């Protein structure tokens, strides 16, 4: 019995004249697609008797064929290339944004530079004005500047270096294998806790007002974007810092980064580090309170809040 | 064979010149490429069957691409563009598959 013979009375159907519709009549479309996939034109052309043509006619047909074929090839290939290439408008806006970024970064660099020059100028003027008149005040100012991180410092210390992990697949970068703002925060906090007196990340000096944060994939210290590799320099008592840092959560964190995310890290001591100053920081809201109000007001506030 | 040669030359020229496709034609490109693939596989199978014919190959190639693009265009106008595209891709996909299977049987006898 054939699979199509479903009448139940196999013999009568086989011998009878009644035309039994095939059981898969409703599938004719699929059958057509699946069982005759090759263009019917090929079979017809092969079955057609060959027409005798003159050499000129044959040459003409061949030329037309060639031209059409070349055109089709060009069209298909350009379609493929167009599908593979990113959309032009996207590329355009991207280059525009890139240009803007470069431009603005250059602007920011220039401003930063003039800021530093002006700070140096101010320092020089202050020195001139104060040294002669009030050496004690000048010394105090010097001390305060040093403590607040607005001037450059020099001294022995630790250097911690981190870099983004080498991506195993360039197309798919696991963000966890990149150094993140939280990593730098933990390390710098660990260094402060270990007794660092001054810290700079990639040359950006950290002060009481500094922030390490993330903007998209970039890490910003204050407002300056950093690029890998990251170098954290801390000035302080090398021996004491090393011991304290090794015991801290930050050291653990470094080990975790290397072990789990293949982020290369290194910790070494340096006999002499020079950290740039952060320039003058401006306080917009905080001001020195009056002496008598200060003592009473401060305690009042603490009491109520 | 001239048709195949011409297609290859055209493809090379296309790679070399990298012409830009007008933005208006962009939506029809994927379907057109699938249709071209179908014609290519059909031609390859006919070649192995020994019935290959330059004219039939070119005409089927051209009509496949044009009809596929037309169907998508019509679908877009009627608001069923994606569904029609899916239908075209399914039908052409099945054809490509069975042609590829036939080619495989020819080449590897398996």
């Amino acid at each position: 019995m054939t699979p199509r013979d479903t009448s139940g009375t196999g013999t009568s159907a086989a011998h009878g004249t009644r035309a039994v519709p095939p059981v898969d009549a409703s599938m004719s479309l699929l059958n057509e697609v699946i069982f005759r996939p090759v263009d019917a034109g090929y079979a017809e052309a092969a079955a057609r008797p060959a027409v005798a043509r003159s050499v000129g006619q044959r040459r003409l047909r061949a030329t037309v064929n060639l031209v059409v074929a070349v055109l089709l090839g060009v069209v298909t290939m350009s379609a493929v290339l167009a599908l593979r290439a990113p959309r032009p408008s996207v590329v355009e806006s991207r280059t525009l944004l890139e240009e803007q970024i470069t431009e603005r970064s250059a602007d920011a660099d220039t401003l930063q530079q003039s800021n530093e020059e002006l700070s140096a100028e101010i320092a020089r003027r202050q020195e001139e004005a104060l040294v002669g008149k009030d050496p004690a005040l000048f010394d105090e100012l010097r001390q305060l500047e040093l403590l607040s991180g607005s001037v450059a410092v020099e001294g022995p210390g630790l250097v911690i270096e981190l870099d983004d992990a080498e991506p195993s697949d360039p197309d798919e970068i696991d963000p966890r294998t990149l150094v993140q703002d939280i990593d730098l925060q933990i390390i710098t906090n660990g260094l402060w806790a270990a007794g660092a007196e001054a810290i700079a990340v990639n040359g950006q000096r950290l002060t009481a007002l500094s922030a390490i944060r993330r903007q998209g994939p970039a890490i910003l210290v204050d407002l300056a974007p950093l690029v890998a590799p990251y170098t954290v320099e801390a000035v302080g008592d090398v021996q004491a810092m090393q011991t304290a840092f090794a015991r801290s959560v930050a050291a653990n964190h470094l080990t975790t980064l290397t072990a789990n995310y293949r982020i290369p890290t290194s910790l070494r001591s340096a006999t002499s580090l020079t950290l740039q100053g952060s320039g003058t920081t401006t306080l917009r809201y905080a001001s020195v309170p009056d002496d008598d109000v200060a003592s009473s007001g401060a305690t009042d506030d603490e009491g109520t809040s | 064979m001239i048709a195949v040669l011409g297609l290859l030359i055209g493809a090379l020229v296309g790679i070399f010149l990298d012409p830009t496709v007008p933005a208006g034609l962009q939506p029809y490109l994927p379907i057109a490429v699938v249709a071209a693939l179908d014609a290519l596989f059909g031609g390859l199978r006919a070649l192995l069957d020994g019935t290959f014919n330059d004219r039939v190959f070119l005409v089927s190639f051209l009509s496949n691409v044009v009809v596929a693009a037309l169907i998508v265009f019509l679908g877009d106008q009627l608001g069923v563009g994606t569904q029609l595209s899916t239908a075209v891709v399914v039908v052409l996909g099945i054809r490509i598959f069975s042609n590829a299977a036939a080619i495989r049987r020819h080449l590897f006898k398996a």
Side-chain angles (χ1 to χ4, degrees):
Chain A
M1 204 194 274
T2 63
R4 290 190 176 195
D5 195 0
T6 53
S7 60
T9 52
T11 44
S12 72
H15 297 297
T17 51
R18 187 161 50 104
V20 180
V23 68
D24 56 354
S26 61
M27 309 281 276
S28 62
L29 175 67
L30 275 181
N31 278 335
E32 179 74 9
V33 169
I34 293 174
F35 294 110
R36 291 187 52 213
V38 77
D39 220 296
Y42 289 112
E44 279 172 28
R48 222 179 289 140
V51 185
R53 291 195 182 84
S54 70
V55 180
Q57 269 179 325
R58 258 187 286 167
R59 216 167 261 168
L60 183 69
R61 285 174 78 95
T63 319
V64 170
N65 279 352
L66 189 66
V67 170
V68 173
V70 169
L71 279 179
L72 278 175
V74 172
V75 168
T76 312
M77 191 42 75
S78 42
V80 170
L81 289 178
L83 284 173
R84 285 180 55 85
R87 301 266 181 250
S89 57
V90 174
V91 176
E92 244 168 56
S93 48
R94 197 193 150 90
T95 28
L96 190 70
L97 283 177
E98 276 173 356
E99 269 170 27
Q100 280 182 352
I101 290 171
T102 331
E103 225 168 82
R104 300 285 161 86
S105 308
D107 281 358
D109 283 350
T110 330
L111 288 175
Q112 178 77 32
Q113 208 176 349
S114 78
N115 197 1
E116 274 163 24
E117 276 165 20
L118 288 174
S119 300
E121 170 92 16
I122 291 171
R124 200 168 50 78
R125 294 282 162 107
Q126 272 178 341
E127 198 176 330
E128 276 172 16
L130 281 179
V131 163
K133 282 186 196 158
D134 196 343
L137 185 60
F138 178 68
D139 283 345
E140 195 187 340
L141 179 69
R142 260 293 147 89
Q143 192 62 34
L144 287 175
E145 277 180 342
L146 201 61
L147 287 174
S148 68
S150 61
V151 293
V153 293
E154 186 197 28
L158 294 181
V159 179
I160 297 175
E161 282 166 325
L162 297 95
D163 200 351
D164 293 338
E166 201 72 40
S168 47
D169 177 6
D171 295 329
E172 234 175 283
I173 293 171
D174 184 354
R176 289 177 307 174
T177 63
L178 304 178
V179 178
Q180 290 173 0
D181 53 344
I182 185 80
D183 303 331
L184 292 180
Q185 285 168 4
I186 290 174
I187 289 164
T188 48
N189 280 340
L191 285 169
W192 285 127
E197 292 174 355
I199 299 182
V201 181
N202 276 21
Q204 293 291 326
R205 182 74 174 275
L206 299 185
T207 67
L209 295 177
S210 297
I212 299 178
R213 59 202 185 87
R214 180 169 46 180
Q215 186 68 59
I219 299 179
L220 306 182
V221 168
D222 288 338
L223 286 176
L226 306 183
V227 284
Y230 305 95
T231 312
V232 183
E233 294 163 304
V235 171
D237 180 349
V238 175
Q239 290 258 314
M241 271 208 298
Q242 254 173 344
T243 323
F245 187 77
R247 286 203 206 116
S248 69
V249 184
N252 260 336
H253 189 72
L254 276 183
T255 324
T256 315
L257 286 182
T258 317
N260 293 357
Y261 305 116
R262 309 189 321 282
I263 291 176
T265 60
S266 74
L267 170 72
R268 62 185 166 83
S269 60
T271 48
S272 173
L273 293 172
T274 307
L275 307 188
Q276 288 297 316
S278 70
T280 319
T281 43
T282 316
L283 298 182
R284 290 197 178 82
Y285 299 101
S287 58
V288 182
D290 298 335
D291 273 355
D292 45 331
V293 182
S295 47
S296 60
T299 42
D300 275 359
D301 280 355
E302 275 172 30
T304 49
S305 61
Chain B
M1 279 305 94
I2 282 179
V4 177
L5 204 68
L7 264 186
L8 283 178
I9 294 173
L12 286 178
V13 170
I15 290 177
F16 192 65
L17 292 181
D18 196 3
T20 41
V21 180
L25 290 179
Q26 294 274 7
Y28 312 116
L29 295 184
I31 293 290
V33 171
V34 175
L37 266 184
D38 173 54
L40 270 182
F41 274 95
L44 190 53
R45 182 173 174 194
L47 189 67
L48 292 173
D49 284 343
T51 54
F52 185 79
N53 182 305
D54 275 345
R55 279 181 83 80
V56 178
F57 176 62
L58 285 180
V59 170
S60 75
F61 202 115
L62 194 63
S63 67
N64 256 7
V65 171
V66 170
V67 169
L70 200 68
I71 288 176
V72 178
F73 172 73
L74 270 181
D76 275 346
Q77 300 301 311
L78 296 173
V80 288
T82 35
Q83 290 91 326
L84 264 184
S85 306
T86 311
V88 171
V89 168
V90 167
V91 169
L92 291 180
I94 294 175
R95 272 167 60 113
I96 291 175
F97 250 103
S98 30
N99 272 335
I103 292 166
R104 187 199 65 214
R105 281 198 294 276
H106 261 290
L107 290 181
F108 303 115
K109 313 278 182 246

